[in-house]
Amino acid sequence: MEAEAIVLDTTEHGESDLIITFFSQKTGRLSAIAKGAKRSKKRFVNKLEIFTFLQISYEQKNNRSLAFLNEAELHNAFPNLRTHFEQYFAASIVREFLLLGIKDSEPEEKIFRLSLWALHNLNKGFPPKPILALFLIHYFGHIGYRPDLESCGFCENRISKRMRYSFDSASGRLVCGSCSGYKRYGMELSHGTIKLLHTAQNLPLERLHRVKATGPILKEALTLLHNFGRQIFQRDIVSWRLLHHSYPGKRENKPG
Ligand SMILES: [Zn+2]
């Protein structure tokens, strides 16, 4: 079998083998053993690295069993992700969300394209935080958690400039000021953030890079996406910590 695949994880197996977790375009999450990959590096040299985009050839008895990796051809190693901290941290968060959200033997064509879009743009040196925010708002939609950013999730009234809103991560809904009353629901959102996420949500991948996100709006959007992601998967997003350390003493970086 042949497939395009992104390397999400590698573990050593015995003295000479590696077990690779791929995100395969055809089958979603795929685990494959690369025999001798540790000892003789010739066949897989520099290819079985995290984030690498490959064309793989493999054998698999059934959908659930461990595949046997025959060959791997390099499409893109995304080398800049390995040498630039900020790009690396954002790519690591993308990777962590993929490991949490993609399933065995389920084709996820849209998520696959979205992931390549994120890795390509990070590799090209686009500011990583906006790329991450745009990736996440689309990713959550693809896995069935598309927040409704057009109306209050409780009274269903359309968003109005005169109303204040917050986002309730637990239900993935916007709450307007009259519905929340004295009760606090999650984090308060500015209209700029709602607009940014709503615009991004509705843009196709080819036009997504045109969305400009900076400053407090970007910060707020990322906080929302982080909280919502933790809520969806009911766990901490370990690599998010790296992002906070990625700009020591600096303000948000401005896109070039
Ligand atoms: Zn309401």
Side-chain angles (χ1 to χ4, degrees), residues 131-199:
I131 299 292
L132 181 63
L134 297 171
F135 168 84
L136 288 175
I137 190 72
H138 273 245
Y139 180 64
F140 294 159
H142 292 325
I143 59 171
Y145 294 90
R146 182 190 158 97
D148 175 4
L149 299 169
E150 285 175 8
S151 49
C152 168
F154 292 79
C155 65
E156 296 184 353
N157 285 336
R158 298 203 40 108
I159 300 295
S160 149
K161 285 258 184 223
R162 282 167 299 170
M163 190 66 85
R164 295 165 77 90
Y165 293 91
S166 43
F167 185 75
D168 176 35
S169 298
S171 63
R173 292 188 287 184
L174 282 178
V175 196
C176 75
S178 20
C179 287
S180 59
Y182 293 110
K183 200 174 167 226
R184 271 192 58 128
Y185 275 99
M187 61 176 289
E188 206 164 296
L189 283 187
S190 66
H191 283 275
T193 305
I194 298 174
K195 190 168 173 244
L196 165 75
L197 293 173
H198 184 241
T199 306

